[in-house]
Amino acid sequence: QKAAQNLKPIVPIKFYISSRTDTGVHALCNSAHLDIQRAPGKPAFNEKQLIYSLNYHLRPEPIRILNAYRVANSFHARFSALSRTYVYRLLMGCTHHSEIPVFERDLCWAPVGGHLNVPAMQDAAQFLLGTHDFSTFRSLNSETPFQSPVRTILQVDIRPSSGFLSHHYEHRGLEFWELKFRSRSFLYRQVRRMVGALVAVGQGKLAPHHIKELLEIKDSRAFPPNAMAPPSGLFLKSVEY
């Protein structure tokens, strides 16, 4: 918003962001919309000018504009989204946090105990697919009383992945896995709670059918204590329109 004010609009600019993320969560991609009113006689910015100008003023910040599109007045970055995709990165094979590669620090979660039972996690993940009341899988906040807990999970995948520069430490027996979730929208901390529950299944603390039972309880207080995944492994991957 501050960078956009440097474009000298005649009306203050407000950004409308498609998705907010918790502190410590990353975004590979996010979307926003804004209206720019220029002084009379000045032509509208084209897409390339807008990208170049905003990035010029964003140089000190850890954010870059990748694309810009002219859209209809009815478009809204948040409410027009058809789906959002999040990826959670897990690192297996670490017996101690000091074994996490330095370039992966704060970009993944290495659960205690090293290895996880991935087939059991994949079985458990199937219970999350479809439309459910996800009350157990949300943290409470000021918006809770006004939000329906019903959400539709369109995709859940658990697949092996590569780490950054992983070919340099292949010999260390580290394995990266990605958990991918796609839905039109998610509840507060829902993805981190779903990941935490699936990891508990992988550790043998829960059985796959316990995920179904947690859904049926519909009570956030029933979620296992200290099971929520940390923010560092979570990435907003894309927003689809």
Side-chain angles (χ1 to χ4, degrees), residues 128-198:
L128 297 170
L129 275 171
T131 304
H132 306 283
D133 181 319
F134 281 96
S135 292
T136 308
F137 288 89
R138 72 166 163 191
S139 294
L140 304 180
N141 68 359
S142 57
E143 292 181 10
T144 302
F146 310 105
Q147 268 191 336
S148 165
V150 176
R151 292 291 183 271
T152 301
I153 302 295
L154 302 167
Q155 180 183 10
V156 184
D157 281 334
I158 303 176
R159 294 183 181 175
S161 170
S162 59
F164 305 129
L165 306 172
S166 57
H167 55 286
H168 289 293
Y169 42 82
E170 283 170 340
H171 61 284
R172 289 167 56 185
L174 302 178
E175 286 181 25
F176 285 91
W177 289 76
E178 281 187 3
L179 285 71
K180 185 194 278 187
F181 301 89
R182 186 164 64 89
S183 174
R184 183 160 186 217
S185 63
F186 294 90
L187 298 166
Y188 181 51
R189 293 182 175 167
Q190 181 185 347
V191 176
R192 288 172 58 194
R193 282 188 166 220
M194 291 190 296
V195 170
L198 292 174

Side-chain angles (χ1 to χ4, degrees), residues 117-130:
N117 180 345
V118 175
M121 293 168 67
Q122 290 168 327
D123 289 345
Q126 298 311 301
F127 291 115
L128 297 170
L129 275 171

Side-chain angles (χ1 to χ4, degrees), residues 30-70:
N30 204 341
S31 307
H33 80 265
L34 70 158
D35 295 306
I36 300 183
Q37 257 184 281
R38 303 197 74 192
K42 290 211 165 189
F45 286 109
N46 65 38
E47 286 92 334
K48 277 189 176 173
Q49 287 172 325
L50 196 58
I51 294 167
Y52 178 84
S53 303
L54 287 174
N55 282 336
Y56 177 83
H57 295 292
L58 285 168
R59 282 179 304 174
E61 305 296 336
I63 182 173
R64 292 294 175 269
I65 307 302
L66 302 176
N67 287 300
Y69 306 94
R70 192 178 301 282

Side-chain angles (χ1 to χ4, degrees), residues 10 16 32 40-41 47 61 66-68 70 75 78 80 89 97 102 123 127 130 164 175 183 203 213 217 219 235 240:
I10 56 171
Y16 296 86
E47 286 92 334
E61 305 296 336
L66 302 176
N67 287 300
R70 192 178 301 282
F75 177 86
R78 181 177 173 193
S80 300
R89 301 181 69 239
H97 66 81
V102 69
D123 289 345
F127 291 115
F164 305 129
E175 286 181 25
S183 174
Q203 293 170 324
E213 290 170 15
I217 291 169
D219 185 349
F235 295 75
E240 294 81 33

Side-chain angles (χ1 to χ4, degrees), residues 37 43 76 79 87 105 143 162 177 202 215 221:
Q37 257 184 281
H76 194 288
F79 301 117
V87 167
R105 200 174 150 214
E143 292 181 10
S162 59
W177 289 76
L215 279 170
R221 294 166 298 184

